Amino acid sequence: MPRPASIVNPPGLTTNQAPFIEQAQAQGEIFIHQPYELYSEKNHDAWRRLFARMKPRWERYANRHYLEGIHALGLEPLHVPKLSEVNKFLCPLTGFQAKAVSGYIPAFLFFDCLRNRSFPTTITIRPAGKLDYLPEPDIFHDVAGHVPMHTDKAFAETLVRFGECAHTAAKLVAGIRDEAEQVHRLTSIIRAMARFFWFTVEFGLMRSPDGLRAYGSGLLSSFGEIEHAVISPDVQRYPIQLEWAINQAFEIDHYQPLLFIVDSFDHLFGLVDELERWLRDGKLNNVAPGEPAVNERDLKSFLRA
Ligand SMILES: [Fe+2]
């Protein structure tokens, strides 16, 4: 019997062009499955090309925990990876697993997933003609950029700790009677957490015996920016200071001009601990205004936690 045309020529799971995702979003489904048969040949080709050109850059600029992670996961260079396969290797190492989502996930839910050792993972892939930059995350960013880091025990514990901070924040603001004050504080706290996350988990640099290395996933999934971040004289790089990171605005649509350096993941874990202490002490209640914007869904996700 001939195979249906949709299986011979699957519609694809291309970012912003995937009917499967549109339907899931329209039905309000956040957590979904990965319908692997829908990936088109172009999707696999995009993954193959992204992976092949990143490999030498990872070897040169990625931190060793990441390189060990890529190896431990046996990450697939030729086809878009199956999350179930990735999880088979990942889960026994740190308890983490990649969990398919339909797209944007409200802030509290995102952090709560980390606390439960799940990583919300986009399953679409950027169009083959746009390998360099896409504002939205895609499976290359999430699985090739983030997931190898989750094989490292100290890094995984740091993410869990970060998720716990979100619970602390939700409990703290739940006790505020005045609604305007509650929204003001929560907006500031979410902004501080998002900035910290951005300057570490997404764009962090780490000191190593061979010089600076990238551990942030935004760098690890960007062919151009990983090199720029490590060697360009246009980037300012400073040892991380918590008070600076939480008050520093960032823009997402160009290479980062300012990056922060940690010494190790134990150092990073200690900073998340400190972040929680600051949260309890009210030091996140009035961070500098500016990016990122905190939207209604993010606020509600904390208020309903
Ligand atoms: Fe990311």
Side-chain angles (χ1 to χ4, degrees):
M1 212 168 79
R3 292 202 292 167
S6 62
I7 294 182
V8 178
N9 282 318
L13 286 166
T14 309
T15 307
N16 295 330
Q17 302 166 34
F20 173 84
I21 295 293
E22 282 162 27
Q23 203 180 342
Q25 287 173 344
Q27 289 168 355
E29 291 168 17
I30 292 180
F31 299 105
I32 56 175
H33 73 288
Q34 183 188 26
Y36 196 79
E37 68 287 354
L38 297 186
Y39 288 110
S40 64
E41 200 32 58
K42 275 191 180 162
N43 291 153
H44 291 298
D45 184 51
W47 176 274
R48 196 155 38 232
R49 288 164 54 202
L50 284 162
F51 199 98
R53 66 181 199 160
M54 276 314 288
K55 205 161 174 272
R57 299 234 153 163
W58 288 330
E59 279 155 14
R60 220 162 145 190
Y61 301 118
N63 76 95
R64 73 178 170 85
H65 306 278
Y66 175 83
L67 295 171
E68 287 164 9
I70 285 265
H71 185 72
L73 293 179
L75 207 56
E76 168 69 72
L78 300 179
H79 299 97
V80 175
K82 279 189 185 153
L83 299 190
S84 56
E85 293 291 320
V86 171
N87 289 339
K88 246 187 244 169
F89 292 98
L90 173 61
C91 215
L93 295 173
T94 59
F96 258 82
Q97 54 170 323
K99 193 171 178 157
V101 292
S102 62
Y104 169 78
I105 154 164
F108 183 82
L109 210 51
F110 179 82
F111 294 132
D112 190 48
C113 281
L114 299 184
R115 182 170 159 264
N116 292 310
R117 297 177 193 265
S118 284
F119 184 72
T121 303
T122 321
I123 57 165
T124 57
I125 186 158
R126 65 196 78 179
K130 272 194 176 175
L131 295 189
D132 284 329
Y133 175 74
L134 204 67
E136 302 87 359
D138 72 343
I139 193 168
F140 190 76
H141 170 77
D142 282 345
V143 172
H146 280 280
V147 174
M149 297 304 310
H150 305 164
T151 60
D152 183 86
K153 285 199 169 67
F155 188 81
E157 293 310 319
T158 304
L159 290 184
V160 172
R161 193 77 190 88
F162 203 73
E164 287 167 355
C165 286
H167 272 259
T168 304
K171 272 189 220 142
L172 278 173
V173 296
I176 303 172
R177 291 261 171 87
D178 183 282
E179 206 179 310
E181 180 58 21
Q182 188 184 43
V183 168
H184 169 80
R185 273 197 219 174
L186 184 55
T187 303
S188 176
I189 290 168
I190 297 173
R191 182 170 281 137
M193 290 185 71
R195 285 174 176 164
F196 183 83
F197 195 85
W198 180 265
F199 286 113
T200 58
V201 177
E202 293 291 354
F203 285 90
L205 292 175
M206 183 184 279
R207 227 179 279 289
S208 86
D210 315 316
L212 293 181
R213 291 288 179 267
Y215 73 91
S217 306
L219 301 175
L220 292 165
S221 58
S222 169
F223 177 73
E225 190 161 6
I226 191 170
E227 184 170 83
H228 187 262
V230 175
I231 66 173
S232 168
D234 296 335
V235 179
Q236 298 185 69
R237 306 171 187 88
Y238 297 101
I240 191 163
Q241 286 172 249
L242 192 54
E243 62 272 44
W244 187 354
I246 62 173
N247 285 291
Q248 176 66 49
F250 61 84
E251 290 167 347
I252 66 165
D253 56 351
H254 50 78
Y255 287 176
Q256 298 300 307
L258 168 67
L259 296 172
F260 293 113
I261 305 160
V262 299
D263 296 329
S264 64
F265 291 139
D266 289 336
H267 178 205
L268 185 61
F269 186 91
L271 288 169
V272 180
D273 258 352
E274 198 172 358
L275 184 75
E276 198 193 33
R277 274 199 301 279
W278 284 22
L279 173 61
R280 291 184 192 279
D281 292 347
K283 289 186 181 176
L284 308 190
N285 289 351
N286 292 290
V287 296
E291 293 292 319
V294 175
N295 68 38
E296 196 69 29
R297 284 180 73 193
D298 291 331
L299 288 169
K300 280 197 179 135
S301 70
F302 272 82
L303 294 173
R304 289 176 185 163

